[in-house]
Amino acid sequence: MKDIIDTAVAAGTFSTLATALTAAGLIDTLKGPGPFTVLAPTDDAFAKIPAADLTALLADTAKLTAVLTYHVVAGNVPAAAVVTLTEAATVEGSKVTIAVVDGKVVLNGASHVTATDIAATNGVIHVIDTVLMPPAKH
């Protein structure tokens, strides 16, 4: 079994996520002992972001780090536990809301979980179809 980063890279549908994690300097963190639960946006999820906005995000390390760490929950949270929660605290510091709608898990009212419980040596990956943006800090 591989760690979260190697598992995501091997899947072949997370190249934008891998690029973003590299740009933000988070590869070593997510290769660390964890455990981590990663809400992993697919390349198609990143493609929903207008190209100019995505380019700007990848160039802004602080904002990129906030967005990426908003996709990570400390601990190993399997799907069976996710469906019992209404929210989860992210490594970024803000919470992500969780709802079950028609038998599917929806995060922040917009992002659907499309695959769950992809096991890694240092945690678990849940695949999502829309990139989550942390709430604005006031």
Side-chain angles (χ1 to χ4, degrees), residues 40-69:
T42 60
D43 291 338
D44 288 342
F46 276 103
K48 292 179 182 181
I49 299 172
D53 294 350
L54 183 58
T55 300
L57 179 62
L58 290 170
D60 183 341
T61 306
K63 186 173 183 184
L64 182 62
T65 299
V67 168
L68 293 172
T69 56

Side-chain angles (χ1 to χ4, degrees), residues 8-9 11-21 38-49 54 67-68 71 107 111-116 118 125-132:
V9 168
T13 53
F14 302 106
S15 59
T16 307
L17 178 60
T19 297
L21 289 167
V38 176
L39 307 168
T42 60
D43 291 338
D44 288 342
F46 276 103
K48 292 179 182 181
I49 299 172
L54 183 58
V67 168
L68 293 172
H71 289 78
L107 305 175
S111 186
H112 296 83
V113 177
T114 58
T116 61
I118 299 169
I125 299 169
H126 301 305
V127 181
I128 60 174
D129 68 359
T130 304
V131 176
L132 301 169

Side-chain angles (χ1 to χ4, degrees), residues 70-128:
Y70 190 62
H71 289 78
V72 181
V73 175
N76 191 338
V77 186
V82 171
V83 297
T84 68
L85 303 173
T86 56
E87 63 183 23
T90 68
V91 172
E92 182 267 341
S94 303
K95 292 184 181 343
V96 66
T97 63
I98 302 167
V100 178
V101 180
D102 297 329
K104 299 207 186 271
V105 175
V106 181
L107 305 175
N108 288 357
S111 186
H112 296 83
V113 177
T114 58
T116 61
D117 295 339
I118 299 169
T121 55
N122 59 345
V124 64
I125 299 169
H126 301 305
V127 181
I128 60 174

